[in-house]
Amino acid sequence: MEKKKKILWGLLLSVIPLIYTTVLYFNGNLEIFENKLVDFRHKNFNPNHKISDKIVIVDIDETALQVYANEPLFGRWPWKRSVYAPILEYIANGQPKIILFDILFTEYSPEDSALVNANLNLNNGGSRGIISHAMSFRYEQDETNPQEEKTITRYALKVNNSDKKIKPYNLASIPAGELTTTAPYLHSVTFHPDDDGVARHVRFLFSYFGKFYPSLSFQGYRAISKINALTMSSDSFVIQDVEKGKVSVPLMDGKYRVHFYPQEEMDNELKRYSISGVIDSIRAIEAGEISDFSQLKISPEAFTDKVVIIGTSAAATHDTKITPYGAAPGVFMHAITISNLVNQDFLKIIPGWVTILIVLLFMSISYYFLFLQSSIILRILVPISLIGIFLVIGFGLFKYDISINLSIFLISFPVTFAGSISYLTFAEGAEKKKYSKVLSNMVDPTIVKEALTDLDTLKKGGEKEITAFFSDVASFSTISEQLNSTDLASLLNEYLSAMTIILKHNMGTLDKYIGDAVVGIFGAPIDRKEHYLEAARASLEMLQKLEELKAFWTKNNMYIKDAQNMNIRIGLNTGLAKVGFMGTDSLASYTMMGDTVNLAARLEAAGKDYGVNILISQMTKTKVEAEMFTKKMDAVVVKGKTEPVLIYELIGKNGEVPKHLVEATELYEEAFQLHLNRSWEKAIQKFQESIKAKGKKDKAASMLIERCEFYITNPPPENWNGSFVRTHK
């Protein structure tokens, strides 16, 4: 191998992946991957900060909705607004800094006056009230609501801003009527998840017609701070605090990356009270049941000098956010963000170009050992060690609130390493070819590597769980009789090639062709955890591919009409089977034997009787039902057996089956159960409803109707197990 050629390939394999990854990074294509990596660090390398004790959540939880559901004053969610007035008064008795609603009251209600009075009368000893109501913003092209703009102008904050990159909004949903005009404060609860649906970023300020309005979290922070100046840009939010001095909050495109606290911290330390406890305390006072606050479920003192958020966690309120720790009430996001501001628990994001420089350094070190050293151990050990070192640094920095971009490194560096190793293996080992070409002619390529590793063991075979696959073209003899030998060979080659590609793509092993029939094995010789799903997916893909072939043949007037309307049947069964590499040294194939295989073959043949494309056994159905939609067809005793087996039609993937077929399936299965219960007339009626719902002929339903009609006059014996004896293959 020429040294110059080796060096050139080394440079290309080092630089190209880095350039490509850099382009992806600056185009934003790595954002989702990097977000997932930050999520991983939050869960596993969290700095373990403490959440602020200045925040209290009054939670409208499942308990509250259930307890008061039957009380006229409350009723079903959403509650009447008059409910909140005594709650607000009770909380206000504790002298909180502010009470923030995480609930929108944007539509007029007859009970608004109760909240209006609370707006006007409740305070914490000052001249201004303590209630802040929620509003939301959105942006829609060519639409505005100028009236709302005029109404809420007085709630805007003075912000120094010259950055045109801040996202503007042009529509606002504000509290109804006097709720806005009397509100001491307003805040926005507008929220936008990331592209993958996870809540990671929030905005502190919202730009609406050139003015800035606070988010709930920033409104809460304002209540416990003494702010005299705000400066906003797309990458930073600077707060001039009289007591804390300059607080610089890192942003990205005007958004703040939430620095999550550990789940245990949220569960154990966040002050969160069920609103039912507040209501019960109010009622206990009104009934004269207590002599001092210590007897209350929740004392007003729990809210003293606190930022109180009234929010929801009950499922019926539909305010759940997906966080790195999973689903959580949306009100938690506000509490976390307020705590981030209060404690200055900010996650510092290192620019991506720093990672790019590190990758360049590490690539230079790897390049030396990969292309200029001959030691195999060093070629592998050094790059792998560098990957480990970088990850340790990345995870370690996160413990100190620093996030370095891992996605750039984890894509570019391993690709460079893998590409370099692959090139060296190919270039230096070209002369070391084995007899894999000969072996590939004997077995499917998927088992070549295992065969070469331990060919003797493979020949011995063994017993293992597989999914046996059988397919056959319906009425192929009729088609073959009408074609000359050239067209017949062309048709078979085109069809079998397409089906085999799909079988292999889904990790199936081709056993054999029997004329137009295809026999395959899923789960052997290489173990596959979900071989049953791979077999099911392959079967559905084959049906789809056949439709494409038929459309092509019809469009190009190829073969004959019977071929253009060709149909196939497939049988699948999962279970133990004897598998092995069987034959002579010069002629061998990997094949399967046993009852599992025989039943799969009989299921394929039985598809003709039921007029379906894919029949599967109960074992296969049980394995695939989480992903696949099936229909229970019948209980049959196949030829050569005495015990009945349940058989199912595989229709499609869950969520992708048309509604009318789902309805028809449900009716069919209900009818089949009535048939098992000997309710013949009711079963016939349901089978007929199933045919009508399906919207076309249903051979299986028609056959079961005939069977029920027969049983009406010729009832089966008392010990009948519901099965039908199939006397032919």
Side-chain angles (χ1 to χ4, degrees):
M1 186 185 300
E2 298 179 3
K3 189 173 182 179
K4 289 184 179 179
K5 184 178 179 180
K6 188 186 199 180
I7 293 173
L8 177 62
W9 272 103
L11 290 173
L12 288 174
L13 290 169
S14 298
V15 174
I16 291 176
L18 179 58
I19 293 175
Y20 179 68
T21 307
T22 302
V23 171
L24 289 178
Y25 168 72
F26 284 107
N27 285 341
N29 299 110
L30 300 183
E31 184 175 348
I32 290 179
F33 182 38
E34 179 60 25
N35 281 336
K36 296 295 185 184
L37 291 170
V38 176
D39 293 347
F40 175 81
R41 281 172 276 179
H42 264 126
K43 288 186 285 187
N44 297 280
F45 299 93
N46 200 293
N48 296 325
H49 295 303
K50 299 296 182 182
I51 194 163
S52 173
D53 61 1
K54 298 181 182 296
I55 304 156
V56 173
I57 293 175
V58 176
D59 187 8
I60 302 174
D61 55 9
E62 294 288 354
T63 300
L65 292 192
Q66 291 173 8
V67 168
Y68 305 116
N70 297 321
E71 293 192 21
L73 180 63
F74 293 85
R76 300 180 63 184
W77 182 260
W79 286 346
K80 294 179 180 179
R81 293 178 189 174
S82 57
V83 166
Y84 297 102
I87 294 172
L88 291 169
E89 183 178 355
Y90 186 83
I91 295 172
N93 287 335
Q95 297 291 292
K97 292 292 186 179
I98 195 169
I99 303 173
L100 301 153
F101 270 109
D102 189 22
I103 304 169
L104 289 164
F105 299 125
T106 55
E107 296 180 359
Y108 171 79
S109 169
E111 294 84 23
D112 282 348
S113 58
L115 285 179
V116 169
N117 290 332
N119 288 345
L120 296 171
N121 298 321
L122 299 182
N123 57 60
N124 57 3
S127 59
R128 190 169 183 177
I130 57 171
I131 299 173
S132 184
H133 282 280
M135 59 181 175
S136 66
F137 296 108
R138 65 188 189 279
Y139 181 86
E140 292 184 14
Q141 191 71 32
D142 301 325
E143 288 193 33
T144 59
N145 47 2
Q147 186 59 44
E148 280 78 358
E149 176 194 355
K150 295 176 182 178
T151 304
I152 65 173
T153 297
R154 70 188 183 94
Y155 297 100
L157 304 181
K158 184 179 179 181
V159 179
N160 300 315
N161 170 61
S162 60
D163 195 331
K164 302 301 182 183
K165 295 180 181 179
I166 303 299
K167 180 178 179 178
Y169 294 85
N170 64 353
L171 291 172
S173 296
I174 64 176
E178 287 187 278
L179 290 182
T180 292
T181 57
T182 62
Y185 304 96
L186 288 183
H187 60 261
S188 173
V189 292
T190 305
F191 173 77
H192 303 289
D194 290 348
D195 290 341
D196 59 355
V198 179
R200 303 187 186 89
H201 296 86
V202 298
R203 294 181 183 274
F204 291 123
L205 298 177
F206 293 85
S207 175
Y208 181 62
F209 289 101
K211 296 180 175 62
F212 287 92
Y213 298 88
S215 66
L216 183 153
S217 53
F218 187 60
Q219 191 74 283
Y221 176 74
R222 289 180 66 218
I224 52 177
S225 303
K226 296 180 179 179
I227 299 172
N228 57 18
L230 298 172
T231 303
M232 182 77 171
S233 69
S234 62
D235 58 4
S236 69
F237 179 35
V238 179
I239 305 167
Q240 293 292 345
D241 191 295
V242 174
E243 296 178 350
K244 298 178 182 178
K246 179 180 178 181
V247 178
S248 183
V249 185
L251 304 179
M252 182 175 292
D253 297 327
K255 295 182 292 184
Y256 170 71
R257 173 128 205 167
V258 179
H259 201 8
F260 291 92
Y261 298 97
Q263 190 64 52
E264 313 84 69
E265 180 71 12
M266 296 296 295
D267 293 339
N268 300 324
E269 301 301 328
L270 176 61
K271 303 299 181 183
R272 176 187 179 195
Y273 302 115
S274 172
I275 200 167
S276 62
V278 176
I279 296 169
D280 289 348
S281 297
I282 294 171
R283 290 179 174 179
I285 293 173
E286 292 175 346
E289 296 174 354
I290 65 163
S291 56
D292 59 70
F293 282 174
S294 64
Q295 296 175 309
L296 293 169
K297 285 187 177 181
I298 302 172
S299 168
E301 295 173 349
F303 308 112
T304 302
D305 293 332
K306 305 296 184 183
V307 173
V308 180
I309 310 173
I310 300 178
T312 65
S313 66
T317 62
H318 305 293
D319 186 24
T320 299
K321 304 292 187 289
I322 304 300
T323 75
Y325 291 98
V331 69
F332 279 22
M333 289 290 293
H334 300 307
I336 293 169
T337 312
I338 295 172
S339 181
N340 282 178
L341 288 169
V342 172
N343 296 340
Q344 298 186 38
D345 294 331
F346 307 136
L347 184 62
K348 303 167 187 67
I349 310 294
I350 296 179
W353 59 263
V354 175
T355 300
I356 294 172
L357 291 178
I358 294 174
V359 172
L360 281 172
L361 173 63
F362 281 20
M363 279 184 174
S364 300
I365 298 172
S366 295
Y367 175 82
Y368 173 79
F369 286 98
L370 281 167
F371 291 93
L372 302 179
Q373 294 291 318
S374 58
S375 172
I376 299 297
I377 295 177
L378 289 177
R379 282 181 174 180
I380 296 174
L381 186 62
V382 170
I384 290 178
S385 298
L386 290 175
I387 293 174
I389 290 171
F390 184 82
L391 291 177
V392 169
I393 292 173
F395 296 148
L397 287 175
F398 202 83
K399 297 288 286 185
Y400 294 93
D401 305 307
I402 300 172
S403 177
I404 189 169
N405 190 295
L406 298 184
S407 59
I408 297 174
F409 182 88
L410 290 178
I411 291 177
S412 59
F413 190 80
V415 168
T416 295
F417 172 52
S420 300
I421 288 293
S422 299
Y423 167 73
L424 291 171
T425 300
F426 171 78
E428 296 176 353
E431 71 276 13
K432 300 178 182 179
K433 293 180 181 179
K434 297 182 180 179
Y435 55 95
S436 59
K437 184 177 180 180
V438 176
L439 190 59
S440 295
N441 292 329
M442 299 163 57
V443 295
D444 185 88
T446 58
I447 67 170
V448 170
K449 184 177 180 180
E450 183 174 338
L452 291 174
T453 304
D454 195 349
L455 188 57
D456 290 336
T457 300
L458 192 62
K459 283 183 177 180
K460 291 177 183 177
E463 188 173 55
K464 63 193 305 186
E465 184 184 87
I466 64 160
T467 297
F469 170 97
F470 280 80
S471 76
D472 194 17
V473 177
S475 303
F476 189 74
S477 58
T478 303
I479 298 173
S480 64
E481 289 170 359
Q482 302 176 64
L483 293 173
N484 59 45
S485 58
T486 302
D487 286 345
L488 179 60
S490 177
L491 174 64
L492 266 179
N493 289 340
E494 192 170 358
Y495 164 73
L496 292 175
S497 295
M499 300 302 108
T500 304
I501 289 171
I502 292 172
L503 182 129
K504 292 181 178 179
H505 177 73
N506 286 277
M507 302 310 296
T509 299
L510 178 65
D511 186 334
K512 62 178 75 68
Y513 300 122
I514 307 174
D516 58 285
V518 179
V519 182
I521 312 169
F522 288 83
I526 298 175
D527 291 334
R528 302 287 300 176
K529 289 184 178 179
E530 296 185 336
H531 52 81
Y532 35 84
L533 277 174
E534 290 165 340
R537 292 171 190 148
S539 301
L540 293 173
E541 288 176 26
M542 288 179 181
L543 294 183
Q544 182 179 350
K545 183 63 179 180
L546 179 60
E547 292 303 313
E548 294 173 6
L549 290 174
K550 286 156 60 176
F552 178 80
W553 296 337
T554 301
K555 180 180 179 181
N556 294 278
N557 197 26
M558 297 174 65
Y559 310 123
I560 58 174
K561 287 293 182 184
D562 285 342
Q564 294 167 7
N565 296 319
M566 192 168 76
N567 200 10
I568 62 172
R569 298 187 301 267
I570 296 173
L572 300 178
N573 185 31
T574 302
L576 293 175
K578 295 179 176 62
V579 293
F581 196 31
M582 303 173 190
T584 66
D585 291 338
S586 59
L587 182 62
S589 67
Y590 195 86
T591 190
M592 57 183 173
M593 293 181 294
D595 287 345
T596 295
V597 181
N598 296 336
L599 179 55
R602 283 162 172 72
L603 288 174
E604 176 272 310
K608 179 179 181 181
D609 295 344
Y610 295 92
V612 301
N613 292 111
I614 308 172
L615 271 183
I616 64 176
S617 66
Q618 184 174 11
M619 174 66 80
T620 304
K621 182 264 184 185
T622 302
K623 297 278 190 180
V624 304
E625 61 185 354
E627 182 175 320
M628 299 294 172
F629 185 79
T630 61
K631 177 167 79 172
K632 183 189 290 185
M633 298 298 297
D634 205 351
V636 300
V637 178
V638 297
K639 185 179 180 181
K641 297 295 179 181
T642 58
E643 294 298 322
V645 293
L646 288 172
I647 60 176
Y648 297 79
E649 179 188 5
L650 174 59
I651 298 177
K653 293 183 178 180
N654 289 330
E656 297 180 6
V657 178
K659 185 178 180 180
H660 74 281
L661 290 182
V662 174
E663 181 183 356
T665 297
E666 292 172 351
L667 289 168
Y668 183 98
E669 292 185 341
E670 185 178 349
F672 182 72
Q673 188 59 46
L674 289 169
H675 148 268
L676 294 179
N677 295 338
R678 298 173 176 259
S679 299
W680 316 119
E681 289 85 356
K682 291 182 179 179
I684 290 171
Q685 181 182 348
K686 285 295 179 183
F687 279 126
Q688 290 170 341
E689 291 177 16
S690 171
I691 295 172
K692 184 178 180 181
K694 190 173 183 179
K696 62 180 181 179
K697 292 181 179 179
D698 189 326
K699 191 173 182 181
S702 298
M703 181 175 67
L704 268 291
I705 289 173
E706 291 179 6
R707 192 185 301 173
C708 289
E709 290 172 343
F710 175 79
Y711 284 150
I712 290 174
T713 56
N714 303 275
E718 290 299 324
N719 62 349
W720 178 62
N721 57 12
S723 65
F724 170 73
V725 179
R726 182 175 168 81
T727 57
H728 56 287
K729 179 183 176 182

